[in-house]
Amino acid sequence: MRPRQLLSGLLSSIAVLCTACTPLAPKHARPARSTLSCARSVLTSKLPESIPDDTAHCLAAGFIARYCSVSEAYIAGLGKELEDTVGHGDAEWRDWQADRRGIACAKHASDDDALYSCCGWKASN
């Protein structure tokens, strides 16, 4: 990931932080109070195992946006890429793009199945 792209992503995340931290699926109770606990809970219960990386990023960000908040989904995506930058992972611009696609999907998805479909995951997979 180039520094300019990382900076752009960081600025986008800061802009999103100015929005309310409310889930997109208000009918459902927030799984946990803290950002990290909420994200972990949602990913444990909603994210399928053994899925392609871009689909995993899309669904992870989408479900965090849906059940935690859009702001927290951006934070989680950015945090994962920063962790990959300084850790043993491989930071990739396309991961950040998949995160943003998942958040967009969550904004328009009427339910979990619509989010799975928007991110390209079929129930038969």
Side-chain angles (χ1 to χ4, degrees):
M1 182 181 320
R2 290 180 271 158
R4 186 178 194 111
Q5 291 171 326
L6 185 59
L7 179 60
S8 174
L10 181 59
L11 292 176
S12 295
S13 295
I14 291 170
V16 169
L17 291 175
C18 296
T19 64
C21 288
T22 57
L24 294 173
K27 295 182 287 187
H28 304 284
R30 183 181 170 93
R33 283 185 67 135
S34 77
T35 296
L36 185 58
S37 294
C38 186
R40 283 182 177 164
S41 176
V42 168
L43 298 181
T44 300
S45 65
K46 301 288 183 182
L47 201 62
E49 293 183 26
S50 303
I51 58 176
D53 189 55
D54 61 330
T55 304
H57 278 271
C58 183
L59 289 173
F63 280 121
I64 294 170
R66 186 163 170 74
Y67 290 97
C68 302
S69 74
V70 170
S71 299
E72 290 166 312
Y74 279 109
I75 291 167
L78 181 62
K80 173 68 171 85
E81 292 313 302
L82 290 174
E83 179 182 25
D84 287 348
T85 300
V86 298
H88 297 292
D90 185 22
E92 296 180 294
W93 181 245
R94 68 182 180 151
D95 290 347
W96 180 246
Q97 291 172 315
D99 292 340
R100 292 190 340 234
R101 183 169 43 97
I103 293 167
C105 286
K107 289 179 180 179
H108 301 289
S110 57
D111 57 23
D112 289 356
D113 289 337
L115 179 59
Y116 283 117
S117 179
C118 183
C119 287
W121 184 254
K122 307 283 188 265
S124 61
N125 287 345

